[in-house]
Amino acid sequence: MFNKIVLLLLFIVIGIVFYFSWLSDPSFASETYIPKWILNWSNHYYNLRTAVPFLAVGFLLETYSQHKGLTEVNYNKNLNFIQNIVIAAIIVCIAEGGQFILKRRNPDLMDIIYGILGSLIGALSYNLFKKIRNAKQT
């Protein structure tokens, strides 16, 4: 059940990434539900805003794969970590590639780099939290 919830959250976050990546207005000015301070921050730190949802993508990918890996006999954490980063890179490339067909959007290589870095930090933070939790239990 836990894996299904994490997978659902992962799909929701990926859907949010695609939604915001494929909006026709890159300033998000037409999105009235977003607070003004977030709009100002996201327009000031244009590439950094790509990394924020990928923190969650990396964290959730690592959570899902490690909990799924508990049942596998030949589970390799390092290989799985690399696979998760590759999956996040594919997601960010699809999100940026979709901007080729939008009139006012342009794909940006820095967005891809920030997305990968965000997912890397998210995955590393999951592993850090897991080590801290395991250290407290012993």
Side-chain angles (χ1 to χ4, degrees):
M1 183 68 177
F2 179 78
N3 280 346
K4 290 181 182 180
I5 293 170
V6 171
L7 194 60
L8 176 66
L9 287 173
L10 181 63
F11 284 136
I12 289 171
V13 172
I14 291 170
I16 290 169
V17 165
F18 287 152
Y19 174 76
F20 283 109
S21 293
W22 296 339
L23 285 174
S24 60
D25 184 11
S27 70
F28 304 150
S30 62
E31 307 305 303
T32 57
Y33 54 86
I34 300 176
K36 185 80 169 159
W37 67 272
I38 293 177
L39 285 176
N40 291 337
W41 181 87
S42 70
N43 289 327
H44 188 267
Y45 298 103
Y46 190 74
N47 292 117
L48 187 59
R49 73 180 182 189
T50 304
V52 173
F54 278 94
L55 292 169
V57 170
F59 190 91
L60 290 170
L61 276 171
E62 197 69 15
T63 303
Y64 178 75
S65 64
Q66 289 210 10
H67 279 277
K68 188 177 177 189
L70 292 175
T71 60
E72 294 180 14
V73 176
N74 294 328
Y75 180 70
N76 186 344
K77 283 175 58 172
N78 294 333
L79 178 62
N80 210 27
F81 180 80
I82 293 169
Q83 287 175 344
N84 289 339
I85 300 303
V86 169
I87 290 169
I90 291 169
I91 293 168
V92 75
C93 286
I94 291 170
E96 288 298 308
Q99 294 179 4
F100 277 115
I101 59 174
L102 299 172
K103 288 182 182 179
R104 295 179 51 192
R105 297 297 296 261
N106 296 317
D108 187 6
L109 181 63
M110 288 305 293
D111 279 343
I112 294 172
I113 292 169
Y114 274 91
I116 293 169
L117 287 175
S119 64
L120 181 67
I121 293 169
L124 290 174
S125 65
Y126 172 79
N127 288 312
L128 178 65
F129 289 144
K130 188 175 177 183
K131 282 187 181 198
I132 292 171
R133 187 186 72 197
N134 290 341
K136 286 183 178 181
Q137 290 177 353
T138 57

